[in-house]
Coordinates of all heavy atoms in Angstrom, one line a residue:
M1 N -57.4 -36.7 85.2 CA -58.3 -37.9 85.1 C -57.5 -39.1 85.8 O -56.3 -39.3 85.6 CB -58.5 -38.3 83.6 CG -59.2 -39.5 83.4 SD -59.2 -40.0 81.7 CE -60.2 -38.6 81.0
R2 N -58.3 -39.8 86.6 CA -57.7 -40.9 87.3 C -58.1 -42.2 86.7 O -59.3 -42.5 86.7 CB -58.1 -40.7 88.8 CG -57.3 -41.7 89.7 CD -57.7 -41.4 91.1 NE -57.2 -42.5 92.0 CZ -56.0 -42.6 92.5 NH1 -55.1 -41.6 92.3 NH2 -55.6 -43.6 93.3
V3 N -57.2 -43.0 86.3 CA -57.5 -44.3 85.7 C -56.9 -45.4 86.6 O -55.6 -45.3 86.9 CB -56.9 -44.4 84.2 CG1 -57.3 -45.7 83.6 CG2 -57.5 -43.3 83.3
T4 N -57.7 -46.3 87.0 CA -57.2 -47.4 87.9 C -57.4 -48.7 87.3 O -58.5 -49.0 86.8 CB -58.0 -47.2 89.2 OG1 -57.9 -46.0 89.7 CG2 -57.4 -48.2 90.3
I5 N -56.3 -49.5 87.3 CA -56.3 -50.8 86.7 C -56.2 -51.8 87.8 O -55.2 -51.8 88.6 CB -55.2 -51.0 85.6 CG1 -55.4 -50.0 84.5 CG2 -55.3 -52.4 85.0 CD1 -54.4 -48.8 84.7
C6 N -57.1 -52.8 87.8 CA -57.0 -53.8 88.9 C -55.9 -54.8 88.7 O -55.7 -55.3 87.5 CB -58.3 -54.6 89.0 SG -58.2 -55.9 90.2
I7 N -55.1 -55.0 89.6 CA -54.0 -56.0 89.5 C -54.2 -57.2 90.4 O -53.3 -57.9 90.8 CB -52.6 -55.3 89.7 CG1 -52.6 -54.5 91.1 CG2 -52.2 -54.4 88.6 CD1 -51.2 -54.1 91.5
G8 N -55.5 -57.3 90.8 CA -55.8 -58.5 91.6 C -55.6 -59.8 90.8 O -55.4 -59.7 89.6
S9 N -55.7 -60.9 91.5 CA -55.3 -62.2 90.8 C -56.2 -62.5 89.6 O -55.8 -62.9 88.5 CB -55.1 -63.3 91.7 OG -56.3 -63.4 92.6
A10 N -57.6 -62.3 89.8 CA -58.5 -62.7 88.6 C -58.2 -61.8 87.4 O -58.1 -62.2 86.3 CB -59.9 -62.5 89.1
C11 N -58.0 -60.5 87.7 CA -57.7 -59.6 86.6 C -56.3 -59.8 86.0 O -56.1 -59.7 84.8 CB -57.9 -58.1 87.1 SG -59.6 -57.7 87.4
H12 N -55.4 -60.2 86.9 CA -54.1 -60.5 86.4 C -54.1 -61.6 85.3 O -53.5 -61.6 84.3 CB -53.1 -60.9 87.5 CG -51.8 -61.3 87.1 ND1 -50.8 -60.3 86.8 CD2 -51.2 -62.5 87.0 CE1 -49.8 -61.0 86.5 NE2 -49.9 -62.3 86.5
L13 N -54.9 -62.7 85.7 CA -55.1 -63.8 84.7 C -55.8 -63.4 83.4 O -55.5 -64.1 82.4 CB -55.9 -64.9 85.4 CG -55.2 -65.6 86.5 CD1 -56.2 -66.6 87.2 CD2 -54.0 -66.4 86.0
K14 N -56.6 -62.4 83.4 CA -57.2 -61.9 82.2 C -56.3 -60.9 81.5 O -56.8 -60.3 80.4 CB -58.5 -61.3 82.5 CG -59.5 -62.3 83.1 CD -60.8 -61.6 83.5 CE -61.6 -62.6 84.4 NZ -62.3 -61.9 85.4
G15 N -55.2 -60.6 82.0 CA -54.2 -59.8 81.2 C -54.1 -58.4 81.7 O -53.7 -57.5 80.9
S16 N -54.3 -58.1 83.0 CA -54.1 -56.8 83.5 C -52.7 -56.2 83.2 O -52.6 -55.0 83.0 CB -54.6 -56.6 84.9 OG -53.6 -57.3 85.8
R17 N -51.7 -57.0 83.3 CA -50.4 -56.5 83.1 C -50.2 -55.9 81.7 O -49.6 -54.9 81.5 CB -49.4 -57.6 83.3 CG -48.2 -57.0 84.0 CD -47.2 -57.8 84.6 NE -46.7 -58.9 83.8 CZ -45.9 -59.8 84.4 NH1 -45.6 -59.8 85.6 NH2 -45.4 -60.8 83.6
E18 N -50.9 -56.6 80.7 CA -50.8 -56.2 79.3 C -51.6 -54.9 79.2 O -51.2 -54.0 78.4 CB -51.3 -57.3 78.5 CG -50.9 -57.2 77.0 CD -51.6 -58.3 76.2 OE1 -51.7 -59.4 76.7 OE2 -51.9 -57.9 75.1
V19 N -52.7 -54.8 79.8 CA -53.5 -53.6 79.7 C -52.8 -52.4 80.3 O -52.7 -51.3 79.7 CB -54.9 -53.8 80.5 CG1 -55.7 -52.4 80.6 CG2 -55.7 -54.8 79.8
V20 N -52.1 -52.6 81.5 CA -51.3 -51.6 82.1 C -50.2 -51.1 81.1 O -50.0 -49.9 80.9 CB -50.7 -52.0 83.4 CG1 -49.7 -51.0 83.9 CG2 -51.8 -52.3 84.4
A21 N -49.5 -52.1 80.6 CA -48.3 -51.8 79.7 C -48.9 -51.0 78.5 O -48.2 -50.0 78.1 CB -47.6 -53.1 79.2
Q22 N -50.0 -51.4 77.9 CA -50.5 -50.7 76.7 C -51.0 -49.3 77.1 O -50.7 -48.3 76.3 CB -51.7 -51.5 76.2 CG -51.3 -52.7 75.4 CD -52.6 -53.2 74.6 OE1 -53.2 -52.5 74.0 NE2 -52.9 -54.5 74.8
L23 N -51.7 -49.1 78.2 CA -52.1 -47.8 78.6 C -50.9 -46.9 78.8 O -50.9 -45.7 78.4 CB -53.0 -47.9 79.8 CG -54.4 -48.5 79.6 CD1 -55.1 -48.6 80.9 CD2 -55.2 -47.6 78.6
Q24 N -49.9 -47.4 79.5 CA -48.7 -46.6 79.8 C -48.1 -46.1 78.5 O -47.7 -44.9 78.3 CB -47.7 -47.4 80.6 CG -48.0 -47.5 82.0 CD -47.0 -48.4 82.8 OE1 -46.5 -49.3 82.2 NE2 -47.0 -48.2 84.1
S25 N -48.0 -47.0 77.5 CA -47.3 -46.5 76.3 C -48.2 -45.6 75.5 O -47.7 -44.7 74.8 CB -46.8 -47.7 75.5 OG -47.8 -48.4 74.8
M26 N -49.6 -45.8 75.5 CA -50.4 -44.9 74.8 C -50.4 -43.5 75.4 O -50.4 -42.5 74.7 CB -51.8 -45.4 74.8 CG -52.0 -46.6 73.9 SD -53.6 -47.4 74.1 CE -53.3 -49.0 73.5
V27 N -50.3 -43.4 76.8 CA -50.2 -42.2 77.5 C -49.0 -41.4 77.0 O -49.0 -40.2 76.8 CB -50.4 -42.4 79.0 CG1 -49.9 -41.1 79.7 CG2 -51.8 -42.7 79.4
K28 N -47.9 -42.2 77.1 CA -46.6 -41.6 76.7 C -46.5 -41.2 75.3 O -46.1 -40.0 75.0 CB -45.5 -42.8 76.9 CG -44.3 -42.3 77.4 CD -43.4 -43.5 77.8 CE -42.0 -43.0 78.3 NZ -41.3 -44.2 78.7
E29 N -47.0 -42.0 74.4 CA -47.1 -41.7 73.0 C -47.8 -40.3 72.7 O -47.4 -39.6 71.8 CB -48.0 -42.7 72.3 CG -47.8 -43.2 71.0 CD -48.6 -44.5 70.7 OE1 -49.8 -44.2 70.4 OE2 -48.1 -45.6 70.8
R30 N -48.8 -40.0 73.5 CA -49.6 -38.8 73.2 C -49.2 -37.7 74.3 O -49.9 -36.7 74.3 CB -51.1 -39.1 73.3 CG -51.5 -40.2 72.4 CD -52.8 -39.8 71.8 NE -53.4 -41.0 71.1 CZ -54.5 -40.9 70.4 NH1 -55.2 -39.9 70.4 NH2 -54.9 -42.0 69.7
H31 N -48.2 -38.0 75.1 CA -47.7 -37.0 76.0 C -48.8 -36.5 77.0 O -49.0 -35.4 77.2 CB -47.1 -35.8 75.3 CG -46.1 -36.2 74.3 ND1 -44.8 -36.7 74.7 CD2 -46.0 -36.2 73.0 CE1 -44.1 -37.0 73.6 NE2 -44.9 -36.7 72.5
L32 N -49.5 -37.5 77.5 CA -50.7 -37.2 78.4 C -50.4 -37.4 79.9 O -51.3 -37.5 80.7 CB -51.9 -38.0 78.0 CG -52.5 -37.6 76.6 CD1 -53.5 -38.6 76.2 CD2 -53.0 -36.2 76.6
E33 N -49.1 -37.5 80.2 CA -48.7 -37.9 81.6 C -49.3 -36.9 82.6 O -49.6 -37.3 83.7 CB -47.2 -37.9 81.7 CG -46.5 -39.1 81.0 CD -46.1 -38.7 79.6 OE1 -46.6 -37.7 79.0 OE2 -45.2 -39.4 79.0
E34 N -49.4 -35.7 82.2 CA -49.9 -34.6 83.1 C -51.4 -34.8 83.3 O -52.0 -34.4 84.3 CB -49.7 -33.2 82.5 CG -48.3 -32.9 82.3 CD -47.6 -32.4 83.6 OE1 -48.1 -31.4 84.1 OE2 -46.7 -33.1 84.1
Q35 N -52.1 -35.3 82.3 CA -53.6 -35.4 82.4 C -54.1 -36.7 82.8 O -55.2 -36.7 83.3 CB -54.2 -35.0 81.0 CG -54.0 -33.5 80.6 CD -54.0 -33.3 79.2 OE1 -55.0 -33.4 78.5 NE2 -52.8 -33.1 78.6
V36 N -53.4 -37.7 82.5 CA -53.9 -39.0 82.9 C -53.1 -39.7 83.9 O -51.9 -39.9 83.8 CB -53.9 -40.0 81.6 CG1 -54.5 -41.3 81.9 CG2 -54.7 -39.3 80.5
D37 N -53.7 -40.0 85.0 CA -53.0 -40.5 86.2 C -53.3 -42.0 86.3 O -54.4 -42.4 86.6 CB -53.5 -39.7 87.4 CG -52.9 -40.2 88.7 OD1 -51.8 -40.8 88.7 OD2 -53.6 -40.0 89.8
L38 N -52.3 -42.8 85.9 CA -52.6 -44.3 85.9 C -52.2 -44.9 87.3 O -51.2 -44.6 87.8 CB -51.7 -44.9 84.8 CG -52.0 -44.6 83.4 CD1 -51.0 -45.4 82.4 CD2 -53.4 -45.1 83.0
N39 N -53.1 -45.7 87.8 CA -52.8 -46.3 89.1 C -53.2 -47.8 89.1 O -54.0 -48.2 88.2 CB -53.8 -45.7 90.2 CG -53.5 -44.2 90.3 OD1 -52.7 -43.8 91.1 ND2 -54.3 -43.4 89.6
G40 N -52.7 -48.5 90.0 CA -53.0 -49.9 90.2 C -53.9 -50.1 91.4 O -53.9 -49.2 92.3
S41 N -54.8 -51.1 91.4 CA -55.6 -51.2 92.6 C -55.8 -52.8 92.8 O -55.5 -53.6 91.9 CB -57.0 -50.6 92.4 OG -57.8 -51.5 91.6
F42 N -56.2 -53.1 94.0 CA -56.4 -54.5 94.3 C -57.9 -54.9 94.0 O -58.6 -54.0 93.6 CB -56.0 -54.8 95.7 CG -54.5 -54.7 95.9 CD1 -54.0 -53.6 96.6 CD2 -53.7 -55.5 95.3 CE1 -52.6 -53.5 96.7 CE2 -52.3 -55.4 95.4 CZ -51.8 -54.4 96.1
C43 N -58.2 -56.1 94.1 CA -59.5 -56.6 93.7 C -60.6 -55.8 94.4 O -60.6 -55.5 95.6 CB -59.7 -58.1 94.1 SG -61.3 -58.7 93.6
S44 N -61.5 -55.3 93.6 CA -62.7 -54.5 94.1 C -63.9 -55.4 94.0 O -65.0 -54.8 94.1 CB -62.8 -53.2 93.3 OG -62.9 -53.6 91.9
G45 N -63.8 -56.7 93.8 CA -65.0 -57.6 93.7 C -65.7 -57.5 92.4 O -66.8 -57.9 92.3
N46 N -65.1 -56.9 91.4 CA -65.8 -56.7 90.1 C -65.1 -57.6 89.0 O -65.1 -57.3 87.8 CB -65.7 -55.3 89.6 CG -66.5 -54.4 90.5 OD1 -67.7 -54.6 90.7 ND2 -65.9 -53.4 91.2
C47 N -64.5 -58.7 89.5 CA -63.9 -59.6 88.5 C -64.9 -60.3 87.7 O -65.2 -61.5 88.1 CB -62.8 -60.5 89.2 SG -62.8 -60.5 91.0
V48 N -65.4 -59.8 86.7 CA -66.5 -60.5 85.9 C -65.9 -61.0 84.6 O -65.4 -62.1 84.5 CB -67.7 -59.6 85.7 CG1 -69.0 -60.5 85.5 CG2 -68.0 -58.6 86.8
S49 N -66.0 -60.2 83.5 CA -65.6 -60.8 82.3 C -64.2 -60.3 81.8 O -63.6 -61.0 81.0 CB -66.6 -60.3 81.2 OG -66.8 -58.9 81.3
G50 N -63.7 -59.3 82.3 CA -62.4 -58.8 81.8 C -61.6 -58.1 83.0 O -62.0 -58.2 84.1
V51 N -60.6 -57.4 82.6 CA -59.8 -56.7 83.5 C -60.6 -55.4 84.0 O -61.1 -54.7 83.2 CB -58.5 -56.2 82.9 CG1 -57.7 -55.3 83.8 CG2 -57.8 -57.4 82.4
C52 N -60.7 -55.3 85.3 CA -61.4 -54.2 85.9 C -60.7 -52.9 85.9 O -59.6 -52.8 86.4 CB -61.8 -54.6 87.3 SG -62.5 -53.3 88.3
V53 N -61.2 -51.9 85.1 CA -60.6 -50.6 85.0 C -61.6 -49.5 85.4 O -62.8 -49.6 85.0 CB -60.1 -50.4 83.5 CG1 -59.5 -49.0 83.3 CG2 -59.1 -51.4 83.1
T54 N -61.2 -48.5 86.1 CA -62.1 -47.4 86.4 C -61.5 -46.2 85.8 O -60.3 -45.9 85.9 CB -62.4 -47.3 87.9 OG1 -61.2 -46.9 88.6 CG2 -63.1 -48.5 88.5
V55 N -62.4 -45.3 85.3 CA -62.0 -44.0 84.9 C -62.8 -43.0 85.7 O -64.1 -43.0 85.6 CB -62.3 -43.8 83.4 CG1 -61.9 -42.4 82.9 CG2 -61.6 -44.8 82.6
D56 N -62.2 -42.2 86.5 CA -62.8 -41.3 87.5 C -64.0 -42.0 88.2 O -65.1 -41.5 88.2 CB -63.3 -40.1 86.7 CG -62.1 -39.1 86.4 OD1 -61.0 -39.3 87.1 OD2 -62.2 -38.3 85.6
G57 N -63.7 -43.2 88.6 CA -64.8 -43.9 89.4 C -65.8 -44.8 88.6 O -66.5 -45.5 89.1
Q58 N -65.8 -44.5 87.3 CA -66.7 -45.3 86.4 C -66.0 -46.7 86.0 O -64.9 -46.6 85.6 CB -67.1 -44.5 85.2 CG -68.3 -45.2 84.5 CD -68.8 -44.3 83.4 OE1 -68.6 -43.1 83.3 NE2 -69.5 -44.9 82.5
L59 N -66.8 -47.7 86.2 CA -66.2 -49.0 86.0 C -66.4 -49.6 84.6 O -67.4 -49.5 84.0 CB -67.0 -49.9 87.0 CG -66.5 -51.4 87.1 CD1 -65.1 -51.4 87.8 CD2 -67.4 -52.1 88.0
Y60 N -65.2 -50.2 84.1 CA -65.2 -50.9 82.9 C -64.6 -52.2 83.0 O -63.8 -52.4 83.9 CB -64.4 -50.0 81.8 CG -65.0 -48.7 81.5 CD1 -64.6 -47.6 82.3 CD2 -65.9 -48.5 80.5 CE1 -65.1 -46.3 82.1 CE2 -66.5 -47.2 80.3 CZ -66.0 -46.2 81.1 OH -66.6 -44.9 80.8
S61 N -64.9 -53.1 82.1 CA -64.4 -54.4 82.1 C -63.7 -54.6 80.7 O -64.3 -54.5 79.7 CB -65.5 -55.4 82.2 OG -64.9 -56.7 82.4
L62 N -62.4 -54.7 80.7 CA -61.6 -54.6 79.5 C -60.8 -55.9 79.2 O -60.3 -56.6 80.0 CB -60.6 -53.6 79.8 CG -60.1 -52.6 78.7 CD1 -61.3 -51.8 78.3 CD2 -59.0 -51.7 79.2
K63 N -60.7 -56.2 77.9 CA -59.9 -57.3 77.4 C -58.6 -56.6 76.8 O -58.8 -55.5 76.2 CB -60.6 -58.1 76.3 CG -61.8 -58.8 76.8 CD -62.2 -59.8 75.8 CE -63.4 -60.7 76.3 NZ -64.6 -59.9 76.3
P64 N -57.5 -57.2 77.0 CA -56.3 -56.5 76.5 C -56.4 -56.1 75.0 O -55.9 -55.0 74.7 CB -55.2 -57.7 76.6 CG -55.7 -58.5 77.7 CD -57.2 -58.5 77.6
E65 N -57.0 -56.9 74.2 CA -57.2 -56.5 72.7 C -58.1 -55.3 72.5 O -58.2 -54.7 71.5 CB -57.6 -57.7 71.9 CG -58.9 -58.3 72.2 CD -58.8 -59.5 73.2 OE1 -57.9 -59.4 74.1 OE2 -59.6 -60.4 73.2
D66 N -58.9 -54.9 73.6 CA -59.8 -53.8 73.4 C -59.2 -52.5 74.0 O -59.8 -51.5 74.0 CB -61.1 -54.0 74.1 CG -61.8 -55.2 73.6 OD1 -61.6 -55.6 72.4 OD2 -62.6 -55.8 74.3
T67 N -57.9 -52.6 74.4 CA -57.4 -51.4 75.2 C -57.2 -50.2 74.3 O -57.5 -49.1 74.7 CB -56.0 -51.8 75.7 OG1 -56.1 -53.1 76.5 CG2 -55.4 -50.7 76.6
R68 N -56.8 -50.4 73.1 CA -56.6 -49.2 72.2 C -57.9 -48.5 71.9 O -58.0 -47.3 72.1 CB -56.0 -49.6 70.9 CG -56.1 -48.7 69.7 CD -54.9 -47.8 69.4 NE -53.6 -48.1 69.7 CZ -52.6 -47.2 69.9 NH1 -52.9 -45.9 69.9 NH2 -51.4 -47.5 70.2
E69 N -59.0 -49.3 71.7 CA -60.3 -48.7 71.4 C -60.8 -48.0 72.7 O -61.4 -46.9 72.7 CB -61.2 -49.8 71.0 CG -62.6 -49.3 70.4 CD -63.7 -50.3 70.5 OE1 -63.3 -51.6 70.3 OE2 -64.8 -50.0 70.6
F70 N -60.7 -48.6 73.8 CA -61.1 -48.1 75.1 C -60.3 -46.8 75.4 O -60.9 -45.8 75.8 CB -60.7 -49.0 76.2 CG -60.8 -48.5 77.6 CD1 -62.1 -48.5 78.2 CD2 -59.7 -48.1 78.3 CE1 -62.2 -47.9 79.5 CE2 -59.8 -47.5 79.5 CZ -61.0 -47.4 80.2
F71 N -59.0 -46.7 75.0 CA -58.2 -45.5 75.3 C -58.7 -44.4 74.4 O -59.0 -43.3 74.9 CB -56.7 -45.9 74.9 CG -55.8 -44.7 75.2 CD1 -55.4 -44.4 76.5 CD2 -55.4 -43.9 74.1 CE1 -54.5 -43.4 76.7 CE2 -54.5 -42.9 74.3 CZ -54.1 -42.6 75.6
D72 N -59.0 -44.7 73.2 CA -59.4 -43.6 72.3 C -60.8 -43.1 72.7 O -61.1 -41.9 72.7 CB -59.5 -44.1 70.8 CG -58.1 -44.3 70.3 OD1 -57.2 -43.7 70.8 OD2 -58.0 -45.0 69.2
R73 N -61.7 -44.0 73.1 CA -63.1 -43.6 73.4 C -63.2 -43.0 74.7 O -63.8 -42.0 74.9 CB -64.0 -44.9 73.3 CG -65.5 -44.5 73.3 CD -66.3 -45.8 73.2 NE -65.9 -46.7 74.3 CZ -65.7 -48.0 74.1 NH1 -65.8 -48.6 73.0 NH2 -65.4 -48.8 75.2
E74 N -62.7 -43.8 75.8 CA -63.0 -43.3 77.1 C -62.0 -42.4 77.7 O -62.3 -41.6 78.7 CB -63.1 -44.6 78.1 CG -64.2 -45.6 77.6 CD -65.6 -45.0 77.6 OE1 -65.9 -43.9 78.2 OE2 -66.4 -45.6 76.9
I75 N -60.8 -42.4 77.2 CA -59.8 -41.5 77.8 C -59.6 -40.2 76.9 O -59.9 -39.2 77.3 CB -58.5 -42.3 78.0 CG1 -58.8 -43.4 79.1 CG2 -57.4 -41.3 78.6 CD1 -57.6 -44.2 79.5
I76 N -59.3 -40.5 75.7 CA -59.1 -39.3 74.7 C -60.4 -38.6 74.6 O -60.5 -37.4 74.6 CB -58.6 -39.8 73.4 CG1 -57.2 -40.5 73.5 CG2 -58.5 -38.6 72.4 CD1 -56.1 -39.6 74.0
G77 N -61.5 -39.4 74.5 CA -62.8 -38.8 74.3 C -63.3 -38.0 75.5 O -64.2 -37.2 75.3
R78 N -62.7 -38.1 76.6 CA -63.1 -37.3 77.8 C -62.2 -36.1 78.1 O -62.5 -35.4 79.0 CB -63.1 -38.2 79.0 CG -64.2 -39.1 79.1 CD -64.0 -40.1 80.2 NE -65.0 -41.1 80.3 CZ -65.6 -41.4 81.4 NH1 -65.5 -40.7 82.5 NH2 -66.5 -42.3 81.4
L79 N -61.1 -36.1 77.4 CA -60.2 -35.0 77.8 C -60.6 -33.7 77.2 O -61.2 -33.6 76.2 CB -58.7 -35.4 77.3 CG -58.0 -36.5 78.1 CD1 -56.7 -36.8 77.4 CD2 -57.8 -36.1 79.5
Ligands
FES1 S1 -59.2 -59.3 90.6 FE1 -59.7 -57.5 89.6 S2 -61.7 -56.9 90.3 FE2 -61.2 -58.8 91.3

């Protein structure tokens, strides 16, 4: 599964660094390094309400405080 987190300036201001750090530690915690491929990307023009994250090409807009729920639902839920 390919998960891409935007590190463009708008997303950076909304906390993309924190989202990346949280996702990295959740992946590590559950030993999913082989299954979940975390990547960074530049602005894709989707800087709307939150940090732009895609899971296998599907777009989500994430707030740092929603990262755990997102991880459980969209990442664990799809494995
Ligand atoms: S800065 Fe992230 S989508 Fe634009």
Side-chain angles (χ1 to χ4, degrees):
M1 173 188 294
R2 188 175 169 86
V3 180
T4 307
I5 303 103
C6 176
I7 51 167
S9 51
C11 289
H12 178 78
L13 290 175
K14 291 174 197 141
S16 66
R17 218 165 53 189
E18 202 183 322
V19 171
V20 171
Q22 285 192 47
L23 288 175
Q24 279 172 339
S25 75
M26 290 174 202
V27 164
K28 219 172 176 175
E29 211 171 82
R30 304 218 190 184
H31 309 290
L32 294 173
E33 292 90 343
E34 299 278 299
Q35 289 156 74
V36 180
D37 179 22
L38 293 177
N39 298 275
S41 75
F42 293 107
C43 180
S44 54
N46 293 302
C47 8
V48 205
S49 50
V51 177
C52 169
V53 177
T54 63
V55 179
D56 286 340
Q58 190 173 343
L59 187 66
Y60 297 90
S61 189
L62 213 67
K63 294 195 178 71
E65 60 269 32
D66 299 335
T67 308
R68 162 102 22 209
E69 192 199 328
F70 169 83
F71 182 79
D72 288 343
R73 191 183 58 226
E74 304 299 341
I75 297 181
I76 299 296
R78 284 169 186 236
L79 287 174

